[in-house]
Amino acid sequence: MPGEIVGIDLGTTNSACAIVEDDGNVKMIPYRGGETTIPSIFAIDEKGNELVGHEAKRQWLLNPRRTIYGAKRLIGRDYQSGFVKKMGEYFAYEMKPGDQGNVIIPIDEAQYNLSQVSAKILNTIRTVAADYLQKPIAKAVVTVPAYFNDRQRQAVKEAGKLIDLEIIRIINEPTAAAMAYGIRQNLNQTVAIYDLGGGTFDVSVIEIRGRTFEVKATGGDIFLGGIDWDNALIRYVIEDFQQKHGVDLTTDPIAMQRIKDLAERTKIDLSARTEAPFSIPFVTMTPEGTPLDINMVITRDKFQELTEPLVKRTVEIADMVVKDAGLGVHQLDEILLVGGQTRWPAVQKAVTEYFGKPPAKSVHPDEAVAVGAALYAHSLDTDAVDQKVQLLDVIPMAIGIESASGDMVEVFKRNASVPNAKSLDTTTSYDNQEEVQVRIYQGDSRRAKENDLLGEFEFSGLRPGPKGSVNVQIVFDCNVEGILTVTAHDKDTGKSMETTVRVQSTEAV
Ligand code: AMP
């Protein structure tokens, strides 16, 4: 299908879309009211209507169990994992295990997996863009967090397939931000991208040489983000209330929802002013029926004190990534800030102190990722050689196989560059063995089972022969998107073996 190619930042909290127009300018696609971001939220209202984006967000507080937010945190994850359990504490909607161990969200009679939810969001983005541009959208470059593993990446691709949107490339968010910053500047610089979003924190170090982008190292914390700032304020307010009135608000879900909502707004206010009121009239009642209010003023200084450990932690992680890249801070030419929570002044101050220079002004924290994706999409779509971009990325966690003793035998190390291919030789362990099985994992734990299972591969059709006489070479090919393909062949005859994959994308429907 002919059509336009766009860049999409499929975010945890908000998503955005951008395009390179015919005149070469990059344009953020505006949504109704001129906003350039759309909440990544999908809901079913009481009448059974599907709502996406602003409409879904508007009714969220009234309809929390039928409003799916944070889908990106669950996509490609195992239902049984500790991560999903932890997320369940934050989410008001129900989750259950799907056929392939994935997460399913039931609403009424329907069962949604996370690729389907993401597909709804992608589809709305595409419709808004097509209406705005008055042209169909056929293809997209979609960004994902650098720490996404193979399964999470596959699940995002799957979301595109479900709505017939060709995701021509998945790229990492920090890489996209670096492209927004440097693709047209003919730079020779090494930059650090400090990305603090709603739920996660990421740092990448990227070398830019003209139109070549080479990621040197990446790292982060998947449990550190704006929500932790909100929670610090929520805890403070609740403790204050307990002290004043002897009432524990945590047992009152409606009061908690109102506090959460106001906490985020107050936090955002405090980025721009030195104090903000925190008032909720009639937040609860005493057992005798007397209404109680929250009536506080939060100062920026107080909030800074409450959240100082969070800021400190981001700097420690940044330091680790810079060291992983084999560099010292003074070797970094620029620092790019991405993600809404980087607007917090104490973050900017800490970044300036650690890196010894203020962050670059030219990068828009909410738009850089979509803009970079659009620029990269444009470069992939053009025949002009001077527009081509070369990208060398890294994988965020090791990829390896399980040994007989259950250890992780690393095939690619953490921060190994991609595209990359490696092979592993093995041989038959009994006479006339017909097949070889390997389990592939991704993660940094020494024990394979503590990492994420990417797939169980079975290679069949081995030549009959005594044990040890048939040599099998398994080739692991990781493309620039961080997506893995595994094949095997008989080393002596060159003959390829048939491959069956048991679990690959758990999101496959
Ligand atoms: P993102 O995932 O990049 O959209 O970032 C969303 C996070 O940024 C949420 O936790 C927001 O509350 C937070 N955020 C947005 N604007 C601000 C602001 N001005 N000051 C502090 N945090 C903000």
Side-chain angles (χ1 to χ4, degrees):
M1 180 176 66
E4 298 292 307
I5 178 166
V6 293
I8 298 178
D9 166 9
L10 183 63
T12 308
T13 329
N14 293 300
S15 295
C17 178
I19 187 164
V20 176
E21 294 185 307
D22 294 340
D23 59 8
N25 287 328
V26 193
K27 173 92 193 164
M28 290 297 295
I29 304 289
Y31 297 93
R32 216 169 336 116
E35 274 178 70
T36 53
T37 59
I38 169 175
S40 309
I41 304 180
F42 168 68
I44 307 279
D45 71 11
E46 294 303 329
K47 296 195 188 101
N49 299 314
E50 291 189 355
L51 307 173
V52 177
H54 297 288
E55 277 107 11
K57 186 168 184 182
R58 213 168 299 128
Q59 53 85 69
W60 175 10
L61 288 181
L62 299 171
N63 187 24
R65 293 184 58 77
R66 300 153 67 89
T67 303
I68 308 177
Y69 50 94
K72 191 170 146 190
R73 306 221 72 190
L74 300 172
I75 196 166
R77 298 260 181 202
D78 235 327
Y79 177 79
Q80 299 294 348
S81 64
F83 182 89
V84 169
K85 279 202 189 81
K86 183 152 182 185
M87 283 293 119
E89 294 166 15
Y90 290 112
F91 297 154
Y93 48 82
E94 195 184 329
M95 292 191 250
K96 52 186 224 185
D99 289 348
Q100 290 149 318
N102 53 337
V103 178
I104 297 280
I105 298 161
I107 299 182
D108 302 334
E109 302 309 308
Q111 316 259 350
Y112 296 95
N113 69 35
L114 277 310
S115 287
Q116 288 167 320
V117 175
S118 302
K120 303 274 183 203
I121 295 162
L122 282 176
N123 201 29
T124 300
I125 295 170
R126 175 171 62 179
T127 308
V128 171
D131 286 351
Y132 175 76
L133 298 166
Q134 295 288 302
K135 286 178 191 155
I137 310 293
K139 295 187 267 186
V141 166
V142 176
T143 58
V144 298
Y147 63 80
F148 259 26
N149 70 23
D150 170 89
R151 248 166 76 174
Q152 293 166 298
R153 288 162 196 265
Q154 302 257 20
V156 170
K157 281 222 150 165
E158 181 65 32
K161 272 197 211 127
L162 291 174
I163 54 161
D164 216 10
L165 173 70
E166 191 190 344
I167 299 184
I168 53 165
R169 199 63 67 84
I170 298 244
I171 58 169
N172 292 331
E173 289 158 7
T175 311
M179 286 179 176
Y181 164 75
I183 218 166
R184 290 173 168 174
Q185 311 296 329
N186 198 22
L187 302 174
N188 196 354
Q189 290 190 348
T190 305
V191 300
I193 294 95
Y194 175 109
D195 179 356
L196 187 60
T200 57
F201 175 59
D202 263 299
V203 179
S204 294
V205 172
I206 302 182
E207 202 177 275
I208 308 173
R209 276 174 273 110
R211 296 179 79 84
T212 299
F213 289 75
E214 184 172 353
V215 183
K216 293 298 194 186
T218 189
D221 184 339
I222 55 174
F223 288 118
L224 183 58
I227 188 141
D228 297 298
W229 269 254
D230 304 352
N231 286 340
L233 187 50
I234 292 167
R235 268 198 305 275
Y236 177 65
V237 168
I238 286 171
E239 276 165 25
D240 181 81
F241 196 83
Q242 171 93 41
Q243 268 175 15
K244 282 187 184 139
H245 304 288
V247 176
D248 176 13
L249 288 173
T250 57
T251 56
D252 181 341
I254 296 176
M256 285 304 288
Q257 201 54 258
R258 291 172 73 191
I259 296 170
K260 270 187 201 167
D261 198 42
L262 185 58
E264 186 183 5
R265 281 188 282 130
T266 308
K267 168 189 82 173
I268 291 172
D269 267 2
L270 287 171
S271 284
R273 19 200 305 213
T274 51
E275 58 175 53
F278 196 107
S279 301
I280 305 181
F282 308 130
V283 70
T284 193
M285 280 207 253
T286 62
E288 296 76 41
T290 315
L292 294 173
D293 308 335
I294 297 179
N295 230 327
M296 299 172 75
V297 172
I298 314 287
T299 62
R300 186 190 280 174
D301 285 347
K302 182 72 206 174
F303 190 45
Q304 201 157 308
E305 182 192 314
L306 296 173
T307 52
E308 198 183 306
L310 302 171
V311 176
K312 229 172 131 197
R313 171 114 184 88
T314 68
V315 173
E316 282 162 13
I317 293 169
D319 188 51
M320 261 162 42
V321 176
V322 172
K323 291 205 170 97
D324 268 357
L327 298 172
V329 274
H330 58 279
Q331 286 168 290
L332 296 166
D333 299 293
E334 280 292 355
I335 319 305
L336 318 182
L337 296 186
V338 187
Q341 192 61 47
T342 59
R343 291 202 179 84
W344 176 232
V347 161
Q348 299 182 5
K349 185 162 170 275
V351 165
T352 306
E353 270 168 23
Y354 170 70
F355 289 101
K357 55 170 78 73
K361 291 267 180 302
S362 58
V363 174
H364 190 299
D366 300 324
E367 296 179 358
V369 172
V371 166
L375 286 163
Y376 189 52
H378 180 68
S379 85
L380 290 171
D381 207 40
T382 174
D383 294 325
V385 180
D386 63 341
Q387 302 274 311
K388 292 279 174 210
V389 171
Q390 202 197 357
L391 170 59
L392 296 163
D393 219 305
V394 297
I395 51 165
M397 287 158 290
I399 293 180
I401 61 170
E402 186 181 23
S403 73
S405 62
D407 280 346
M408 174 95 168
V409 180
E410 288 185 0
V411 178
F412 298 107
K413 289 196 179 320
R414 184 164 73 90
N415 278 328
S417 58
V418 288
N420 204 337
K422 288 247 160 79
S423 63
L424 207 79
D425 292 343
T426 179
T427 185
T428 46
S429 50
Y430 54 91
D431 294 346
N432 298 325
Q433 184 175 338
E434 286 176 356
E435 61 207 18
V436 176
Q437 284 167 353
V438 282
R439 283 218 189 105
I440 302 178
Y441 289 87
Q442 186 160 18
D444 293 323
S445 174
R446 219 176 49 79
R447 300 291 297 168
K449 285 214 165 53
E450 287 168 12
N451 295 321
D452 289 316
L453 179 65
L454 296 184
E456 201 173 302
F457 290 73
E458 189 174 287
F459 304 107
S460 53
L462 267 66
R463 213 161 21 100
K467 76 171 182 187
S469 70
V470 182
N471 298 310
V472 178
Q473 185 167 56
I474 305 173
V475 179
F476 300 81
D477 196 332
C478 199
N479 72 7
V480 72
E481 297 175 292
I483 290 181
L484 183 71
T485 320
V486 184
T487 50
H489 58 263
D490 185 320
K491 232 185 142 183
D492 304 310
T493 66
K495 187 172 166 270
S496 297
M497 284 161 194
E498 208 174 295
T499 311
T500 317
V501 184
R502 292 249 174 69
V503 193
Q504 195 187 29
S505 167
T506 51
E507 298 293 321
V509 274

